[in-house]
């Protein structure tokens, strides 16, 4: 199976990925952040580096999707190719930080890739408000993230909600503001209960 975790910057995707991988014995796939050659430059000058960054992510994420489809393991993935193309790139374009030409080029490439990709077996979306995201970003203390603008985060949140509202696959929504799965075992069990019901319940997903 392919399980995916979606959510804005600072929502807790990586934490939940690690916890669920340990709980179920799934194989984790993490977002390529630490070795990303564009990320620091992007946060310093989004308009200059937006296209380069998004193409980098699209390349890495498509490679992951192909590898996941060929794997016999159950994979849990920290962020998906769909978020890059349906949320991050359109947000950059909408805020004037990616040109029409670059966005069209990017979109054409993504659409071609999507003809070869299917939805995950289960999508887990962590919904969070901006104050919660900001607190989480400050807490983990990545220097390059401290320059993120609130309107950038809000734009992403808006697009996440639009995307999730129209999502056609199997979906679980976790309230990241009230469900502190990384701090409370009881809250973590709330998440696993939802997963168990979806995957192994009386009426599991088809």
């Amino acid at each position: 199976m392919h399980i995916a975790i979606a959510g804005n910057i600072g929502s807790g995707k990586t934490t939940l990925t690690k916890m669920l991988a340990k709980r179920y014995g799934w194989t984790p796939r993490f977002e390529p952040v630490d070795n990303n050659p564009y990320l620091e430059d992007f946060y310093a000058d989004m308009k200059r580096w937006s296209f380069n960054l998004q193409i980098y992510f699209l390349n890495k994420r498509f490679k992951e999707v192909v590898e996941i489809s060929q794997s016999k393991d159950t994979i849990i993935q920290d962020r998906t190719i769909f978020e890059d193309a349906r949320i991050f790139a359109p947000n950059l374009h909408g805020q004037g930080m990616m040109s029409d030409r670059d966005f069209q080029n990017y979109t054409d490439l993504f659409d071609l890739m999507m003809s070869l990709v299917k939805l995950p077996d289960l999508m887990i979306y962590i919904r969070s408000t901006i104050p919660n995201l900001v607190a989480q970003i400050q807490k983990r203390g990545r220097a390059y993230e401290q320059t993120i603008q609130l309107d950038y985060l809000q734009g992403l949140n808006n697009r996440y909600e639009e995307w999730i509202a129209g999502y056609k696959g199997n979906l679980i929504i976790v309230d990241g503001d009230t469900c502190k799965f990384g701090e409370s075992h009881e809250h973590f069990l709330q998440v696993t209960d939802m997963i168990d019901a979806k995957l192994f319940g009386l009426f599991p997903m088809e």
Side-chain angles (χ1 to χ4, degrees):
M1 285 190 296
H2 176 196
I3 315 297
I5 299 185
N8 206 340
I9 301 164
S11 60
K13 296 181 305 300
T14 302
T15 297
L16 189 56
T17 299
K18 290 177 181 177
M19 295 177 73
L20 292 176
K22 183 178 179 180
R23 163 69 175 79
Y24 291 99
W26 295 338
T27 301
R29 288 281 190 135
F30 296 105
E31 189 175 16
V33 171
D34 292 338
N35 298 319
N36 189 320
Y38 293 105
L39 206 55
E40 194 167 341
D41 289 331
F42 167 73
Y43 282 126
D45 188 348
M46 289 186 175
K47 192 168 186 177
R48 164 64 182 86
W49 293 103
S50 62
F51 181 71
N52 305 70
L53 178 74
Q54 292 305 132
I55 289 294
Y56 174 86
F57 274 128
L58 193 62
N59 174 38
K60 293 291 185 182
R61 219 84 74 179
F62 185 67
K63 182 181 178 183
E64 276 194 337
V65 167
V66 172
E67 291 173 353
I68 289 169
S69 69
Q70 296 171 346
S71 176
K72 292 181 172 61
D73 296 336
T74 293
I75 306 291
I76 182 162
Q77 185 184 25
D78 174 358
R79 186 165 282 153
T80 67
I81 193 170
F82 305 100
E83 291 164 82
D84 289 311
R86 298 302 182 216
I87 294 158
F88 282 82
N91 188 55
L92 288 165
H93 177 245
Q95 293 191 346
M97 288 182 281
M98 184 184 289
S99 70
D100 293 343
R101 178 180 60 180
D102 285 347
F103 182 64
Q104 187 59 56
N105 188 6
Y106 176 90
T107 302
D108 288 348
L109 180 58
F110 173 76
D111 289 343
L112 175 62
M113 290 177 171
M114 284 304 95
S115 66
L116 306 171
V117 171
K118 65 176 185 177
L119 293 175
D121 296 296
L122 177 63
M123 180 74 74
I124 303 169
Y125 170 53
I126 306 173
R127 172 180 280 146
S128 295
T129 60
I130 298 302
N132 188 53
L133 295 174
V134 170
Q136 294 282 83
I137 290 168
Q138 290 176 339
K139 183 178 178 180
R140 69 187 180 192
R142 292 174 183 163
Y144 57 81
E145 289 183 341
Q146 304 310 308
T147 59
I148 297 176
Q149 301 294 313
L150 290 178
D151 61 342
Y152 176 70
L153 280 178
Q154 185 62 63
L156 293 174
N157 246 17
N158 294 343
R159 290 182 185 275
Y160 264 107
E161 290 301 319
E162 292 171 8
W163 174 59
I164 287 298
Y167 188 74
K168 303 301 183 185
N170 290 298
L171 176 68
I172 288 172
I173 298 177
V174 176
D175 187 334
D177 284 21
T178 60
C179 184
K180 301 298 183 182
F181 47 80
E183 303 168 10
S184 166
H185 183 64
E186 182 181 348
H187 287 189
F188 178 59
L189 290 179
Q190 293 174 12
V191 179
T192 60
D193 284 350
M194 288 191 289
I195 294 171
D196 290 344
K198 201 76 168 176
L199 297 182
F200 316 118
L202 288 176
F203 304 100
M205 64 187 191
E206 297 179 355

